[in-house]
């Protein structure tokens, strides 16, 4: 009998000490580093469990159920009880993406509330509006956030946001020696944050007109500074000349007076007509004269 009572006592003691959490029904998270501990009402919960819940909520966008959260903790042998049955999470980054017309390639990198917590508990019917007046989409851009309640009450706060510009780039998948051509099959396309004062290769259409000027390791982004232009037009050789304007396009040929790489201006002499043309190198043995 005593053994039964002891086991029952231990059982009820374990139930009583189970971690219990009460979360907001609707949460808007402003910063990736938001401390959500004050939004999580809990008892008998260790700091590690609360921190883990903070990380989970910070990575969610949309609705998540209490059973789903419980399962995540149970996998790690952590027994928790969670209320309410459904929690809706809105990430501020997604709200900005939905409401502001961002320039092509621009994304919000980070955000932080000024003199306020980095999250807002929203009531049913609350509506969030984000404004950016005179936006330059750089660093430290102030965003005005208005939370309008269904009852007419309004809360406002300012969020400091850093924006970044994403550009298309190409990363080498294998080592390439100096003075080599760069075949397309060793390049992997990806979008990266724009690097100031660095001219990344964003178009493979003209890559065939260049060679590497140094060895490049696998995993590096291909930059214009890694390449040397090759001479597409050579002095003394026959060169095609395309003369065009909005109305006409004429093809002729001549003898180039100098070497030229892509985009350079060279002089081409037409001996039969005794005429000189100044044209831009656009391809192998080809220049374009725009009238």
């Amino acid at each position: 009998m005593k053994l039964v009572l002891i086991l029952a006592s231990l059982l009820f003691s374990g139930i009583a000490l189970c971690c219990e959490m009460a979360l907001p029904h609707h949460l808007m998270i402003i910063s990736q580093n938001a401390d959500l501990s004050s939004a999580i009402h809990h008892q008998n919960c260790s700091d590690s469990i609360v921190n883990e819940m903070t990380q989970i909520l910070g990575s969610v966008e949309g609705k998540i159920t209490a059973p789903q959260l419980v399962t995540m903790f149970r996998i790690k042998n952590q027994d928790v009880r969670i209320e309410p049955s459904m929690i809706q999470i809105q990430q501020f980054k997604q709200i900005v993406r939905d409401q502001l017309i961002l320039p092509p390639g621009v994304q919000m990198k980070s955000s932080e509330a000024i003199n306020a917590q980095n999250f807002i508990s929203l009531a049913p019917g609350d509506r969030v509006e984000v404004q950016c007046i005179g936006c330059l989409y750089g660093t430290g851009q102030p965003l005005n956030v208005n939370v309008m309640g269904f009852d007419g009450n309004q809360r406002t706060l300012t969020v400091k946001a850093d924006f970044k510009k994403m550009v298309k780039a190409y990363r080498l998948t294998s080592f390439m020696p100096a003075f080599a051509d760069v075949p397309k099959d060793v390049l992997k396309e990806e979008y990266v944050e724009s690097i100031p004062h660095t001219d990344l290769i964003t178009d493979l259409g003209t890559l065939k007109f260049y060679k590497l000027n140094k060895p490049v390791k696998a995993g590096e982004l291909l930059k214009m500074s890694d390449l040397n232009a090759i001479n597409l037009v050579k002095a003394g050789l026959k060169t095609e000349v395309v003369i065009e304007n909005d109305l006409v396009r004429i093809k002729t040929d001549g003898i180039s007076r100098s070497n030229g790489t892509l985009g350079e201006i060279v002089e081409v002499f037409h001996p039969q007509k005794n005429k000189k043309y100044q044209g831009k190198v656009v391809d192998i043995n080809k220049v374009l004269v725009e009238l």
Side-chain angles (χ1 to χ4, degrees):
M1 185 65 178
K2 287 184 177 180
L3 181 59
V4 173
L5 291 174
I6 291 172
L7 290 174
S9 176
L10 291 173
L11 178 61
F12 286 116
S13 175
I15 293 174
L17 294 177
C18 174
C19 170
E20 297 180 357
M21 293 186 181
L23 307 177
H25 285 82
H26 192 171
L27 192 64
M28 180 179 73
I29 300 176
I30 297 172
S31 172
Q32 293 178 332
N33 302 317
D35 180 6
L36 304 178
S37 57
S38 60
I40 303 171
H41 300 289
H42 60 88
Q43 60 180 4
N44 303 324
C45 300
S46 65
D47 291 342
S48 62
I49 290 179
V50 175
N51 290 337
E52 189 164 346
M53 178 61 81
T54 295
Q55 292 177 5
I56 292 173
L57 296 179
S59 64
V60 172
E61 171 66 38
K63 295 179 180 179
I64 188 168
T65 65
Q68 288 174 317
L69 292 170
V70 169
T71 300
M72 292 179 187
F73 283 96
R74 188 174 295 152
I75 291 173
K76 299 183 178 181
N77 297 319
Q78 296 169 330
D79 187 20
V80 298
R81 294 180 179 179
I82 298 172
E83 292 182 351
S85 59
M86 179 79 72
I87 301 100
Q88 182 173 355
I89 306 295
Q90 283 185 283
Q91 300 292 340
F92 185 67
K93 181 180 292 187
Q94 183 62 45
I95 295 175
V96 168
R97 189 181 298 122
D98 292 340
Q99 295 194 14
L100 298 184
I101 302 175
L102 300 178
V106 172
Q107 298 179 8
M108 193 177 75
K109 182 178 182 179
S110 62
S111 55
E112 184 176 356
I114 298 177
N115 300 323
Q117 292 179 315
N118 278 307
F119 66 88
I120 298 176
S121 295
L122 300 173
D126 282 357
R127 185 161 49 91
V128 178
E129 287 188 357
V130 180
Q131 295 178 326
C132 188
I133 301 173
C135 248
L136 299 176
Y137 300 107
T139 58
Q141 183 71 58
L143 304 181
N144 299 323
V145 181
N146 300 313
V147 180
M148 288 159 285
F150 71 97
D151 56 358
N153 290 329
Q154 182 172 325
R155 289 177 287 170
T156 61
L157 71 152
T158 302
V159 173
K160 182 178 67 175
D162 291 340
F163 290 89
K164 61 183 179 181
K165 182 174 178 58
M166 304 298 290
V167 296
K168 184 167 67 174
Y170 292 91
R171 194 178 300 275
L172 274 84
T173 59
S174 60
F175 169 81
M176 295 296 297
F179 312 117
D181 295 323
V182 185
K184 294 181 181 180
D185 58 2
V186 301
L187 296 172
K188 179 183 178 182
E189 179 183 317
E190 60 182 77
Y191 280 82
V192 300
E193 185 175 350
S194 177
I195 305 172
H197 313 298
T198 302
D199 194 4
L200 296 171
I201 298 299
T202 60
D203 181 13
L204 300 184
T206 59
L207 190 59
K208 62 183 179 181
F209 302 140
Y210 296 87
K211 290 183 180 292
L212 290 171
N213 56 32
K214 60 184 178 182
V216 182
K217 298 178 182 178
E220 291 189 8
L221 293 172
L222 187 61
K223 303 179 290 294
M224 199 67 201
S225 59
D226 299 328
L227 304 171
N228 279 343
I230 61 176
N231 287 322
L232 302 181
V233 171
K234 295 184 178 180
L237 297 183
K238 185 177 179 180
T239 302
E240 180 183 357
V241 180
V242 177
I243 306 170
E244 69 176 17
N245 59 20
D246 293 338
L247 300 176
V248 298
R249 179 182 174 88
I250 302 172
K251 290 185 179 181
T252 184
D253 54 50
I255 305 299
S256 176
R257 292 287 181 88
S258 61
N259 295 336
T261 62
L262 184 68
E264 288 187 333
I265 303 298
V266 297
E267 181 180 283
V268 179
F269 177 69
H270 196 299
Q272 286 77 23
K273 296 181 180 180
N274 194 28
K275 193 169 183 178
K276 299 176 182 178
Y277 301 100
Q278 296 285 334
K280 180 171 67 175
V281 178
V282 294
D283 206 335
I284 299 173
N285 294 325
K286 186 176 184 179
V287 301
L288 174 66
V289 179
E290 295 179 306
L291 301 177

